Amino acid sequence: MSVVSPVRPVGVLDRRMTLRELVDQPSLTDLCMSFVELHRLGVKVFDEDGARLVDIKTGSGDFCAYLFTKSPGKQRCTETVTYLKQHPLPVVGNERGCEARTCFSGTRYVMAPIVHEGDLLGRVVLGPFVPEEAGDLSPELFELAGAFDLERVRELQKRIRRASETAVRRIAEHFGKVLEVLLFASYRAALTSQMHIEAISEDYRELQAKSRELKESYERLQELDRLKSNFLATVSHELRTPLTSIIGYSEMLLAGLAGELNPEQEDYLSTVLEKGEGLLNLITSLLDLSKVESQGVKLALKETAVPAIVRQSVSTVLPLATKRRIELSTEVDESMPPAVVDPDKLRQAIVNLLSNAVKFTPDGGKILVRSGLLPQAPEGTGPFGRASRFLVSVQDNGIGIAPAEQERIFETFYQVDSSSTRAHGGAGLGLSLVKSYVEAHGGKVWVQSRLDEGSTFTLDLPLETAQPARP
Amino acid sequence: MGAKRILVVEDDPAILALEERLLRHAGFEVRGAPGSSEALALAAEEEFDLFVLDVMLPGMSGYELARALAARDPARQVPLVFATANQAADGVREGFRTGAALYLVKPFQTATLLSTVRAAMGS
């Protein structure tokens, strides 16, 4: 039978930590150094796998080194060290206890366990010391006498501390207690930092999940946007196709291709044609506006002669103005330098302003279009001292706009009053497109107007629109 | 010299009749086709001085039809006018890549149809 547990990262509390991870090596070395100085006993610390963390000798260096130089000594010494590092410590009661080990040289070591939270993490080895009860050199050294100069060995051994094993065991126990405190403090620090790391990892995982969600919803939105664009393009196409016939056949009839029309028939057909064209403008504006809203205004900038654009715009509305006996005049500064703008967007902005002017000016009224560099513009002066902005304004003597309405007319679908829709046509899209196009150029549009006196709409545009940075 | 011959391809019957009528009235000799296969069949029988092609045709698009018509007789380059009800500018660029002479956006004014056709034939 197997128990399936939910997969979760191994936490700091689940994992046993090694001695090396738990202690701060410099602090441990400092501690051992104090012990060595205090007790004149060497200190070695090994982890559970027998790897050495600390090894400080005192007095025994030359003695051991001398014995180590001769082949039998080398072998015996290595045996002792291996035992000290790895031999399992005796079990005393429920836990590991101390053990003494005597080297072939007659010197002795005491091993004590390092325990933390019930886990054996390693051992501390104190020594070598010369046991208090020991007489002359060890019998084993005498057996190897041929290899060593025993007088020299005697001299070197004198430098090693003499101590009772009981005393060293007490010291070892004491050392173990101090180490426990050090481990406790280190463990707390390690635990805290581990928990920080895990908290940060958890935050990171959450963030990753969040950003994945965001990415997915962004992709969904993009897909929706694409569908919306396709839908609009299709609807636009489907509306324009029948309008082609409505407008085309009306024109053909009006041109007399199917025979002479009487004035009444002509009048009716003109209405059909006019309404068809109004519908076409609405469809065009709707698609333009939805494009602006979904993708922003994309400018195709090029050097453009502004006077030519103004003339083309005027000629677009001229037939309608003439029909209404509106006097359409221009004051165009032909000498102005070419501007870097999107000519189609500029033309459409001016045409929209002109269409509105014609719409809201009574029969026989006046419209004046002006264009030229911005006069006296201290802030708008270019690097070579020339004006860096230009203006296009459309002035009419129509019905005017009340001050309270003058901001709102640039909002999409806003109309001064809905009865004006029936009287003048349109859906309140023209000015909001003008605003989008002009602002995309880094320009602005505003209106000055008095009720019953007329309105002046002004476009203020930079002579050189900067290329937008690629996103 | 006979009248210039124009092949008009348009799947909307009302628009096809409108274009045929207007062009004929302007003095051109006009053949109309409601789709690509009829257009290719007519082009196999007669020679034309201009093709007026709807872009959104069922099956083969107007651009593909233009390439197919051009492939029939590569030596003779017949001028093209693409008519489309697509307001988006992307279509215009696609049209020009195909080598279209001119582009006509529907709905068009009758005067615009005639001036575009005349401009495409270079007269």
Side-chain angles (χ1 to χ4, degrees):
Chain A
M1 198 183 88
S2 69
V3 179
V4 179
S5 60
V7 177
R8 91 184 174 91
V10 176
V12 63
L13 293 171
D14 306 329
R15 199 169 58 86
R16 256 188 72 189
M17 293 175 81
T18 65
L19 185 60
R20 205 178 279 276
E21 286 172 316
L22 268 176
V23 296
D24 173 46
Q25 185 94 24
S27 312
L28 179 66
T29 309
D30 277 354
L31 173 73
C32 294
M33 207 67 116
S34 312
F35 258 80
V36 170
E37 277 165 21
L38 185 63
H39 300 291
R40 284 216 306 116
L41 278 168
V43 174
K44 301 179 207 303
V45 176
F46 300 100
D47 71 10
E48 214 189 340
D49 301 321
R52 190 169 55 195
L53 274 77
V54 176
D55 185 0
I56 304 165
K57 296 181 177 72
T58 179
S60 63
D62 292 339
F63 175 78
C64 292
Y66 179 66
L67 294 180
F68 195 77
T69 51
K70 312 292 175 184
S71 67
K74 189 174 184 172
Q75 191 197 337
R76 302 283 182 92
C77 178
T78 307
E79 279 167 21
T80 304
V81 172
T82 306
Y83 189 97
L84 293 174
K85 265 163 51 171
Q86 289 175 350
H87 195 267
L89 291 168
V91 177
V92 181
N94 286 331
E95 24 180 79
R96 301 279 172 172
C98 291
E99 186 191 348
R101 175 75 178 173
T102 306
C103 174
F104 81 99
S105 67
T107 62
R108 192 170 293 172
Y109 296 85
V110 169
M111 299 173 278
I114 300 172
V115 178
H116 175 70
E117 305 251 301
D119 290 329
L120 183 67
L121 295 184
R123 63 183 67 186
V124 56
V125 178
L126 297 186
F129 61 93
V130 178
E132 213 168 35
E133 68 276 14
D136 193 15
L137 299 176
S138 79
E140 276 183 83
L141 276 177
F142 283 106
E143 281 168 31
L144 300 169
F148 303 111
D149 171 0
L150 292 183
E151 266 318 300
R152 178 149 173 75
V153 175
R154 259 185 212 104
E155 278 308 307
L156 292 173
Q157 192 187 272
K158 278 183 192 158
R159 300 188 199 166
I160 302 174
R161 183 182 165 181
R162 257 180 193 275
S164 77
E165 188 184 313
T166 329
V168 177
R169 278 179 182 262
R170 259 203 324 270
I171 294 169
E173 272 169 31
H174 178 212
F175 185 85
K177 292 257 159 41
V178 174
L179 200 57
E180 232 171 78
V181 174
L182 181 70
L183 284 178
F184 181 72
S186 307
Y187 180 63
R188 254 195 0 196
L191 207 62
T192 310
S193 62
Q194 273 296 326
M195 280 177 160
H196 275 137
I197 290 170
E198 292 203 0
I200 289 166
S201 308
E202 188 55 34
D203 284 352
Y204 177 66
R205 278 191 290 276
E206 274 174 29
L207 273 176
Q208 270 190 321
K210 286 229 169 66
S211 71
R212 201 166 40 240
E213 280 169 29
L214 272 176
K215 190 165 169 274
E216 280 165 8
S217 62
Y218 175 68
E219 282 166 359
R220 263 201 309 280
L221 280 176
Q222 273 190 322
E223 173 64 11
L224 277 177
D225 193 52
R226 204 183 55 77
L227 287 174
K228 190 183 125 195
S229 298
N230 281 354
F231 172 75
L232 281 166
T234 308
V235 166
S236 161
H237 186 273
E238 294 311 308
L239 292 173
R240 294 173 77 98
T241 300
L243 269 176
T244 307
S245 290
I246 294 170
I247 293 171
Y249 282 101
S250 304
E251 274 196 44
M252 201 155 68
L253 282 173
L254 279 170
L257 261 66
E260 193 92 356
L261 300 180
N262 67 38
E264 199 178 357
Q265 289 169 329
E266 209 167 285
D267 188 30
Y268 294 168
L269 260 181
S270 301
T271 305
V272 173
L273 185 60
E274 195 183 305
K275 296 301 165 189
E277 276 165 354
L279 194 51
L280 173 61
N281 287 338
L282 176 59
I283 293 162
T284 308
S285 299
L286 266 178
L287 193 68
D288 285 346
L289 201 72
S290 100
K291 225 154 115 191
V292 167
E293 271 169 12
S294 66
Q295 307 165 12
V297 179
K298 286 183 184 153
L299 296 179
L301 297 175
K302 56 180 160 194
E303 272 207 0
T304 305
V306 176
I309 297 289
V310 171
R311 277 194 301 273
Q312 290 165 16
S313 310
V314 167
S315 70
T316 308
V317 297
L318 196 58
L320 200 56
T322 310
K323 207 160 108 187
R324 303 262 317 278
R325 291 179 292 106
I326 292 170
E327 186 192 321
L328 190 48
S329 53
T330 55
E331 276 175 26
V332 175
D333 173 9
E334 298 284 346
S335 69
M336 90 171 249
V340 178
V341 293
D342 181 328
D344 292 334
K345 302 281 191 295
L346 177 60
R347 186 184 307 111
Q348 206 183 325
I350 301 172
V351 167
N352 286 5
L353 292 185
L354 281 168
S355 305
N356 277 350
V358 171
K359 212 180 280 175
F360 295 107
T361 301
D363 290 5
K366 279 183 187 166
I367 296 173
L368 172 62
V369 186
R370 286 202 192 92
S371 76
L373 292 178
L374 181 63
Q376 295 162 351
E379 282 168 46
T381 304
F384 306 109
R386 63 188 174 93
S388 62
R389 307 186 75 84
F390 69 96
L391 301 178
V392 178
S393 70
V394 176
Q395 185 184 346
D396 65 54
N397 64 348
I399 58 174
I401 303 157
E405 312 277 6
Q406 291 181 7
E407 278 295 317
R408 301 203 60 195
I409 51 171
F410 293 100
E411 292 170 14
T412 305
F413 287 115
Y414 185 77
Q415 289 170 325
V416 171
D417 74 79
S418 55
S419 66
S420 74
T421 314
R422 286 188 290 279
H424 306 287
L429 299 176
L431 284 178
S432 105
L433 273 174
V434 170
K435 186 168 186 271
S436 303
Y437 289 168
V438 169
E439 284 176 358
H441 282 87
K444 46 194 186 222
V445 53
W446 69 87
V447 63
Q448 292 155 292
S449 183
R450 272 167 183 265
L451 272 179
D452 301 324
E453 286 181 22
S455 309
T456 303
F457 284 84
T458 307
L459 308 180
D460 172 349
L461 289 156
L463 204 51
E464 265 188 46
T465 294
Q467 287 287 351
R470 293 257 156 223
Chain B
M1 257 189 47
K4 296 273 190 187
R5 302 168 57 81
I6 301 177
L7 173 62
V8 180
V9 188
E10 167 64 62
D11 66 319
D12 184 305
I15 299 177
L16 178 60
L18 175 71
E19 288 172 343
E20 282 186 277
R21 179 82 176 80
L22 285 170
L23 291 171
R24 232 168 248 145
H25 187 259
F28 297 106
E29 198 168 306
V30 186
R31 290 279 183 280
S36 313
S37 49
E38 294 88 342
L40 286 165
L42 278 173
E45 288 168 14
E46 304 173 37
E47 286 211 337
F48 291 97
D49 302 298
L50 176 77
F51 298 129
V52 177
L53 308 178
D54 181 26
V55 173
M56 268 218 215
L57 288 169
M60 192 184 262
S61 83
Y63 304 129
E64 287 166 325
L65 176 59
R67 281 188 280 269
L69 287 168
R72 270 181 43 262
D73 189 1
R76 200 169 157 270
Q77 276 225 322
V78 180
L80 291 163
V81 169
F82 284 117
T84 181
N86 187 353
Q87 173 181 340
D90 301 350
V92 177
R93 279 200 293 277
E94 173 66 30
F96 283 132
R97 259 212 304 278
T98 321
L102 284 171
Y103 220 83
L104 183 67
V105 179
K106 292 185 280 192
F108 45 80
Q109 293 187 315
T110 53
T112 312
L113 170 70
L114 296 177
S115 63
T116 307
V117 162
R118 290 199 178 102
M121 287 192 296
S123 59

